[in-house]
Amino acid sequence: MLSQKKLESKTEQLSIINQFSSSLLQITQLDELFDYVTSQVVSRLGFVDCVIYLADEHHEYLEEVASMGLSSQNANYQIIQTRIPIAQGITGYVARTQTAFVSADVSSEPRYIADSRPALSELCVPLVYEEQLLGVIDCEHPEPNYFTNGHLQILSTVAHLLSAKINQVRTLNHLTQTVDQLNQAQQLEKSLLKIANIAYKSQELDAFYDDIYAIINSQLPAENFFIGLYDKHADLLEINYLVENEVRCNASQKIVKAQLKETASYYIISNSKPLLCNHIDFEKHIAQGHFKMVGRSPTSWLGVPFTVNEQYQGVIVMQSYHDHKAFNRHHLAILTYISRQVSMAIDRQLSRQALEHRALHDELTGLANRYLLLERVKHAILSHDRAPQKKLHCLLYLDLDRFKSINDALGHDVGDHFLVAIVNVIKGSIRRTDTFARLGGDEFAIFMENVHDKQQVDIALERINNAIAKPLQIDGHILQASGSIGAAFTSDATDNAITLLQQADAAMYEAKSSGRGRVCYFNNAMRKKLKRQADIENDLQSGIKNHEFELYFQPIFTLNQPHIVSFESLVRWHHPSAGLVPPDDFIPIAEHTGQIIELDLYLLDLAAAQLQSWRRDGNPTVRITVNVSSRHFASLDFVEYMRSLYIKYQLPNGTLCLEITESGLIENLTLATRIIHGLAPLGVKLYLDDFGTGYSALGYLHQLPIHTLKIDKSFIDQLTHKENPLVDAILSLAQSLKLNVVAEGIENPKQWALLKRKGCQLGQGYLVSKPLPASQAMALLIKHTDVALSI
């Protein structure tokens, strides 16, 4: 009978092992596996108490993972001691030695750690795989001598199978986790590369922020997120991009100085260090006075600062209000990388905006420039077609009176400060919707869109003039200005922006010629004048091509022993339909359009050819001066052109010379000086024309390598009635600088006599001769000169 029971027990044990082995193939989760061992396997062995422990990573503790037992018949029984040091107790001994332990009476075992349940017998086997400790299975029973060798064998078999399964599941989990980590790493790498790519290619910051947020939100819990830009100059933090509860908030928020210092964002910006903290850490920072609570208290807070440039710093902040979405060091590392990309993208965008602003605005005043003004005028003109009611647009062209005298007398720095002050004054007198532009120098434009009538413009002009008229204190000087203003209207979509600007410009010049501080509206008379100017501009090119220009020559003569020493060449245009066009009608237009360059070179060639023609005819050698634009003194190519003329026409040195106005030289003083020195080997003399009409040359005269001053006719005219101290001053200045002086516009003997007495060497004017054609000019020269002049 006993053998039969042993056989049945053995058969039951084999059945248990067989079923357990089969079940191991189906179970893939460790918690299910442990529960199966305790509830299905061990319980079938007749054990009433069983605990499975697993060793921790460092083999310091045994942690309970499953249990089965009886405690006052409670079906939900769990052991009290769930964590046992590996250095203590029978379970610790089995774990350390990796050897099974059986005791018939644990009360006599010194290693036994008593629990709240009654137990005498104990069976404990280790869980070992390839000599690596995994844990133990500990079974107890309230009866002594309960556990047998058979129990030990089957539990050891269960432990062996369980150890192999634990290792298999862990290996699989580890592989799965590794694959997941690799996939996450690949996704993160792709995301970071994508961020770098869009940071490089992005044109608009809003679109860039959207792309950045989409990527961040795929990698981090970023349901509450913002990017802020701190302007150190303005001490202002602007929230450029804000997401709350995964919803984009389009309105930009500005945190002013009073609130800024109390924020966590400013705390990390000022310290230039990121901040990662949970709710408790956040409260500690508040308690320490680092910042104050703004809005709700976050469960987790992550902020990373970044530097854009010398003016701007930035910050990226994420906030979480859920325990399961807390931030960690990995999130901080990702956000730090992203912040660098955001920094570069913002820097590029700000640089691009600065370049665009400089391309469209005046550097000194910050106003729109000519290009931007014309673009807005074009856009407004096109809007005429779309407007339900007919609207007028008005362009005001403003020129400051007497600004040149401020620059000349007080210097350009004062002049610049004065312009900036005037601009600020005018800004306060016009609408915010008006386009205020600087066209150059002291010329400005104000484009008023959608005005009702001329009366509205009249009121605006009165405000502007009143504002300009108020004295300004600039660098210790009390300065007062006035402005000449021209106005032109557009009301049709077929109008042209350039034409409107020309009309306003023409009206301004009309106002300026009427006296300072005047306003003129463009009218039909001005329209006809503009038409004539446009015709002249169109005909100039063909005039040069068809040789319609002729040089006349007015003699320059000595005042002491009268004889002619040289001629000034003066151009005349024989227009095929308009007849003889005087220089005052086309020279300013040629200067304005840039056609003066080609015209001057053509006239220099004419003068050189005339000199050669006179010499071939056996006439006396004489000097010709040609008036040239200051534009030629902005390029060293002009030296080469003059040299080519001397070679081409075989001219003696010093026979072809130049006249230029004083302002033209000062505009390019350094380069002009190099050009004049470059002309010196040809003997080219430089005559400074219209001297005395401005103050500009007085400060630079000693630096200019010029040879002759020409006193403007307006000063000589006055000598008929009274003395002119300025003439005396010019003569004295010229004498000290060892310069010759030509008095222009001598028309009566009294002027001649006075100038001669004052020591003026040379003169020019109708008293001797008006400008003459080449043949008459040479005849006059021969009549007044017995021998060839010494050049």
Side-chain angles (χ1 to χ4, degrees):
M1 179 66 72
L2 185 60
S3 298
Q4 180 68 27
K5 287 184 178 179
K6 287 183 177 181
L7 180 61
E8 290 175 356
S9 175
K10 193 70 173 178
T11 301
E12 174 67 11
Q13 291 175 359
L14 289 173
S15 174
I16 292 171
I17 295 300
N18 183 54
Q19 186 176 350
F20 180 48
S21 299
S22 299
S23 299
L24 288 180
L25 299 175
Q26 307 297 324
I27 300 174
T28 58
Q29 300 297 323
L30 286 178
D31 54 348
E32 295 179 13
L33 179 64
F34 297 144
D35 182 67
Y36 181 81
V37 169
T38 56
S39 63
Q40 301 297 323
V41 179
V42 177
S43 61
R44 286 182 61 186
L45 293 173
F47 298 176
V48 297
D49 184 290
C50 178
V51 182
I52 299 176
Y53 295 95
L54 291 183
D56 70 327
E57 181 182 358
H58 303 291
H59 289 186
E60 294 178 354
Y61 293 93
L62 293 170
E63 303 276 357
E64 179 260 330
V65 293
S67 63
M68 176 276 295
L70 298 174
S71 178
S72 304
Q73 305 303 317
N74 186 348
N76 296 322
Y77 167 78
Q78 292 183 349
I79 65 169
I80 295 175
Q81 199 160 0
T82 61
R83 191 169 191 259
I84 300 174
I86 207 166
Q88 298 179 13
I90 293 172
T91 53
Y93 168 77
V94 171
R96 295 193 307 275
T97 61
Q98 299 184 13
T99 305
F101 175 87
V102 180
S103 175
D105 186 359
V106 294
S107 61
S108 61
E109 286 292 335
R111 298 188 188 90
Y112 179 67
I113 300 174
D115 207 340
S116 60
R117 58 187 182 252
L120 290 176
S121 298
E122 182 167 359
L123 171 60
C124 188
V125 296
L127 295 170
V128 178
Y129 184 82
E130 294 184 351
E131 300 182 357
Q132 292 295 318
L133 174 70
L134 302 179
V136 296
I137 302 177
D138 184 32
C139 299
E140 296 183 356
H141 199 279
E143 298 177 8
N145 298 309
Y146 179 79
F147 297 110
T148 66
N149 285 333
H151 290 146
L152 175 61
Q153 289 177 3
I154 191 169
L155 193 61
S156 296
T157 302
V158 169
H160 177 75
L161 294 173
L162 179 59
S163 296
K165 186 64 178 182
I166 290 172
N167 180 73
Q168 180 190 48
V169 172
R170 282 182 172 178
T171 302
L172 181 62
N173 288 342
H174 178 71
L175 287 173
T176 303
Q177 185 179 11
T178 301
V179 171
D180 289 341
Q181 289 175 348
L182 285 172
N183 289 335
Q184 290 176 3
Q186 288 177 346
Q187 290 177 359
L188 178 60
E189 183 180 10
K190 289 179 181 178
S191 296
L192 297 182
L193 286 173
K194 188 176 180 182
I195 287 174
N197 187 48
I198 63 174
Y200 179 76
K201 292 183 177 180
S202 85
Q203 296 294 320
E204 297 294 333
L205 278 181
D206 278 348
F208 169 70
Y209 290 148
D210 281 335
D211 291 339
I212 284 287
Y213 175 69
I215 296 170
I216 290 175
N217 201 32
S218 70
Q219 299 293 326
L220 310 176
E223 61 183 16
N224 297 285
F225 171 92
F226 72 79
I227 298 175
L229 198 60
Y230 173 60
D231 185 340
K232 291 186 281 187
H233 296 173
D235 208 5
L236 181 88
L237 179 68
E238 183 169 2
I239 306 301
N240 299 112
Y241 192 84
L242 174 64
V243 174
E244 292 184 340
N245 296 320
E246 296 189 74
V247 177
R248 166 80 189 277
C249 302
N250 291 321
S252 178
Q253 300 182 17
K254 294 183 179 180
I255 303 176
V256 295
K257 185 175 181 179
Q259 300 172 317
L260 179 62
K261 303 299 188 292
E262 300 178 351
T263 64
S265 298
Y266 182 78
Y267 174 73
I268 66 172
I269 288 173
S270 59
N271 287 295
S272 298
K273 293 180 180 179
L275 180 63
L276 169 64
C277 55
N278 57 27
H279 173 73
I280 296 173
D281 295 332
F282 201 78
E283 294 289 348
K284 286 180 180 178
H285 281 288
I286 293 172
Q288 292 170 6
H290 296 158
F291 45 80
K292 294 184 179 180
M293 181 67 68
V294 179
R296 291 186 294 161
S297 176
T299 302
S300 187
W301 198 93
L302 174 59
V304 175
F306 58 87
T307 298
V308 178
N309 53 37
E310 291 183 356
Q311 182 177 356
Y312 290 102
Q313 289 178 273
V315 61
I316 303 179
V317 172
M318 297 194 302
Q319 299 161 320
S320 176
Y321 299 95
H322 306 285
D323 290 332
H324 64 284
K325 292 184 178 180
F327 306 120
N328 55 42
R329 305 297 299 182
H330 179 62
H331 297 147
L332 172 60
I334 295 173
L335 199 62
T336 300
Y337 171 84
I338 292 171
S339 73
R340 297 191 187 106
Q341 303 301 321
V342 172
S343 170
M344 289 188 290
I346 293 176
D347 188 34
R348 276 195 294 272
Q349 184 71 7
L350 292 176
S351 298
R352 188 182 299 116
Q353 289 174 353
L355 287 172
E356 289 174 354
H357 187 275
R358 282 198 291 271
L360 298 174
H361 293 80
D362 173 61
E363 186 173 356
L364 175 65
T365 62
L367 298 179
N369 61 13
R370 182 184 295 266
Y371 176 83
L372 180 56
L373 170 72
L374 289 174
E375 287 300 304
R376 292 187 178 173
V377 172
K378 289 175 187 176
H379 185 270
I381 289 174
L382 290 174
S383 71
H384 285 312
D385 275 345
R386 301 189 299 269
Q389 295 180 343
K390 192 170 184 179
K391 289 278 188 178
L392 293 173
H393 306 315
C394 182
L395 182 62
L396 307 179
Y397 200 118
L398 166 65
D399 180 89
L400 295 177
D401 302 320
R402 297 189 298 269
F403 174 70
K404 185 175 182 297
S405 63
I406 294 174
N407 254 356
D408 294 341
L410 303 177
H412 288 278
D413 285 344
V414 174
D416 286 349
H417 297 162
F418 175 71
L419 280 181
V420 172
I422 282 289
V423 164
N424 290 332
V425 165
I426 295 174
K427 279 182 180 177
S429 65
I430 62 176
R431 302 176 305 177
R432 296 180 66 180
T433 55
D434 295 336
T435 297
F436 191 11
R438 186 185 182 198
L439 303 177
D442 58 352
E443 294 185 347
F444 300 88
I446 300 167
F447 183 54
M448 302 174 64
E449 294 187 53
N450 300 322
V451 295
H452 299 291
D453 48 33
K454 179 177 176 293
Q455 184 180 4
Q456 185 180 351
V457 177
D458 285 337
I459 294 170
L461 285 167
E462 185 177 357
R463 287 199 308 268
I464 293 169
N465 275 323
N466 289 339
I468 295 174
K470 293 178 181 178
L472 296 170
Q473 186 165 0
I474 308 294
D475 297 345
H477 306 280
I478 303 297
L479 303 176
Q480 188 168 10
S482 62
S484 300
I485 304 177
F489 290 94
T490 172
S491 59
D492 194 283
T494 61
D495 288 341
N496 181 276
I498 296 290
T499 301
L500 184 67
L501 183 62
Q502 291 172 341
Q503 291 173 349
D505 187 17
M508 183 275 292
Y509 273 106
E510 194 71 25
K512 203 171 188 69
S513 63
S514 302
R516 295 188 176 99
R518 302 293 182 89
V519 174
C520 276
Y521 286 90
F522 185 75
N523 55 36
N524 285 331
M526 298 177 200
R527 194 183 308 277
K528 291 178 181 178
K529 186 176 179 181
L530 275 183
K531 174 66 168 56
R532 175 170 167 76
Q533 290 175 348
D535 290 341
I536 289 174
E537 181 181 339
N538 293 332
D539 292 344
L540 269 171
Q541 192 67 38
S542 61
I544 296 172
K545 183 179 179 181
N546 297 328
H547 307 289
E548 296 170 4
F549 295 94
E550 180 186 2
L551 288 179
Y552 276 49
F553 302 91
Q554 186 175 29
I556 297 174
F557 47 85
T558 58
L559 296 181
N560 287 329
Q561 297 178 345
H563 62 270
I564 296 171
V565 295
S566 62
F567 288 109
E568 178 185 0
S569 62
L570 301 162
V571 64
R572 299 292 184 265
W573 184 8
H574 297 282
H575 194 280
S577 59
L580 191 63
V581 182
D584 289 346
D585 285 359
F586 66 84
I587 293 296
I589 297 173
E591 186 77 47
H592 180 71
T593 61
Q595 292 171 300
I596 192 68
I597 297 288
E598 187 176 0
L599 180 60
D600 281 352
L601 298 181
Y602 175 72
L603 297 179
L604 282 166
D605 191 273
L606 280 183
Q610 187 60 64
L611 283 168
Q612 184 187 56
S613 176
W614 280 339
R615 292 187 70 240
R616 283 178 177 174
D617 292 341
N619 293 308
T621 301
V622 68
R623 176 183 298 147
I624 291 178
T625 62
V626 181
N627 290 276
V628 295
S629 168
S630 61
R631 293 170 184 250
H632 296 290
F633 286 81
S635 172
L636 290 171
D637 292 342
F638 186 57
V639 175
E640 291 305 314
Y641 182 77
M642 290 293 293
R643 184 178 290 115
S644 71
L645 289 180
Y646 268 83
I647 295 171
K648 176 181 177 182
Y649 293 105
Q650 299 178 334
L651 303 180
N653 276 6
T655 51
L656 182 62
C657 296
L658 306 171
E659 291 196 21
I660 187 172
T661 59
E662 52 183 304
S663 59
L665 284 180
I666 292 167
E667 288 171 3
N668 303 285
L669 183 61
T670 303
L671 187 54
T673 302
R674 289 181 61 192
I675 291 171
I676 297 169
H677 284 309
L679 295 171
L682 300 174
V684 175
K685 306 297 182 183
L686 192 72
Y687 290 63
L688 203 57
D689 200 13
D690 301 331
F691 188 77
T693 55
Y695 300 98
S696 56
L698 294 177
Y700 302 97
L701 199 56
H702 66 285
Q703 301 178 40
L704 296 171
I706 57 175
H707 308 90
T708 301
L709 299 180
K710 298 188 76 173
I711 303 177
D712 189 70
K713 181 179 182 298
S714 61
F715 301 112
I716 305 304
D717 288 344
Q718 299 175 24
L719 292 179
T720 304
H721 312 290
K722 60 181 180 180
E723 290 283 336
N724 189 332
L726 188 57
V727 172
D728 294 333
I730 293 173
L731 290 170
S732 176
L733 179 64
Q735 184 178 6
S736 65
L737 295 174
K738 298 180 180 179
L739 300 176
N740 291 325
V741 177
V742 176
E744 296 182 296
I746 299 176
E747 296 181 351
N748 60 64
K750 183 176 181 181
Q751 292 170 336
W752 183 310
L754 281 172
L755 288 165
K756 180 180 176 181
R757 190 169 65 246
K758 292 175 182 293
C760 183
Q761 306 102 324
L762 303 169
Q764 184 179 4
Y766 278 23
L767 182 60
V768 171
S769 175
K770 64 181 181 179
L772 300 170
S775 59
Q776 296 179 29
M778 182 49 66
L780 182 66
L781 172 67
I782 293 171
K783 181 179 177 182
H784 288 83
T785 307
D786 295 329
V787 294
L789 295 176
S790 175
I791 302 299

